[in-house]
Amino acid sequence: MIALKGAEVSAKIQAQVERQLEELGGYVPCLAIVRVGERPDDLSYEKGALSRMKKYGLRAESYSFPEDVSMEKFREKFRNISGDDRIDGILLLRPLPPQLDEKEIERMIDPAKDLDGISPENIARVFAGDETGFAPCTAEAVVRMLKSYEVPIEGKRAVIVGRSAVVGRPLAMLLLKEHATVTVCHTRTRDLERVCREAEILVAAAGKPRMIGAAHVREGAVAVDVGINVDENGKLCGDIDFEAVSEKASMATPVPGGVGAVTTAVLAEHLVRAAAMRRK
């Protein structure tokens, strides 16, 4: 089995980002990372994003809020962040705690700074197949990784486990744009193992540690793990049992070292593009 590692893909994206930065004439774009609470997957993503921005010569600032922050206070602070002219792009880590109105916050973010495709304008562009906006970074990273490793997508049967607005749904749209036949599974999907075994490309994005095992994978399938979880030993792991799946899959992404590295590279690319658009 071939391990689909993110380092090679992110290196290609870095080269593109460096060329785009040269066109900005010395201007250094700035990213704002907004986090509420201390979920392990959020902390892991934030750490990776900060490291990636520094590596690429970009600026990044973290804005963290307590888990119990009120909607009133968060609304005020987030509006200031979105309106800050120093900031070229915003990454809001989700899901948010229940007291925060996520839909209202999505409408508040400046679409031109919305690097992770959460605003109604950018979501609409993704569903319309319009590339002028920003697609969610993780969903785009999955497609970029498949293309980089020359995995055929057109005409293939793709199954996504997870229907979140962050990954599952936008990824379905991106794969449809590449002419895949897409099935989206969720907690109420009957006989999940059987449905997953139909996949030539299987994407796990449910947020449940090692929930996808060998019984879910058909021989020769490509398995892509989007999950970032912390197991009972305090170690990062994905939604796919990598060792078990390696017996049947032709290719699979590890966690860590897989899609996550590409996601932060895509985020950097989005930041530079947002800065370029704002400066025109």
Side-chain angles (χ1 to χ4, degrees), residues 27-30 59 61 63 83-88 113 278:
Y27 178 76
V28 181
C30 180
R59 291 189 296 140
E61 300 176 356
Y63 297 83
D84 190 338
D85 197 52
R86 298 179 307 106
I87 294 171
D88 297 289
K113 298 182 179 182
R278 292 184 68 233

Side-chain angles (χ1 to χ4, degrees), residues 116-234:
D116 208 23
I118 69 171
S119 66
E121 291 89 342
N122 281 323
I123 292 171
R125 290 187 179 112
V126 170
F127 276 72
D130 181 351
E131 297 181 358
T132 60
F134 296 106
C137 296
T138 303
E140 185 175 330
V142 171
V143 176
R144 297 283 285 273
M145 176 165 271
L146 292 172
K147 287 185 172 182
S148 183
Y149 278 93
E150 299 182 347
V151 175
I153 302 176
E154 183 174 343
K156 296 297 183 179
R157 180 69 182 272
V159 173
I160 303 169
V161 182
R163 57 176 169 177
S164 73
V166 182
V167 182
R169 296 183 192 186
L171 177 56
M173 295 301 105
L174 295 182
L175 290 174
L176 283 171
K177 190 173 185 293
E178 298 296 330
H179 310 294
T181 299
V182 183
T183 299
V184 179
C185 298
H186 46 79
T187 54
R188 299 185 185 180
T189 299
R190 295 179 181 177
D191 199 355
L192 180 63
E193 289 185 359
R194 180 188 61 79
V195 177
C196 289
R197 283 197 300 270
E198 296 174 358
E200 294 166 281
I201 300 172
L202 176 61
V203 183
K208 295 184 178 180
R210 301 188 181 95
M211 70 168 291
I212 301 297
H216 295 81
V217 181
R218 70 186 287 177
E219 290 287 346
V222 176
V224 181
D225 195 343
V226 175
I228 301 177
N229 310 290
V230 178
D231 65 14
E232 61 278 4
N233 298 316

Side-chain angles (χ1 to χ4, degrees), residues 41 51 56 75 81 84 87 160 163 211 214 234-236:
D41 53 343
S51 174
Y56 285 19
R75 182 191 293 115
I81 293 169
D84 190 338
I87 294 171
I160 303 169
R163 57 176 169 177
M211 70 168 291
K235 294 183 178 180
L236 284 179

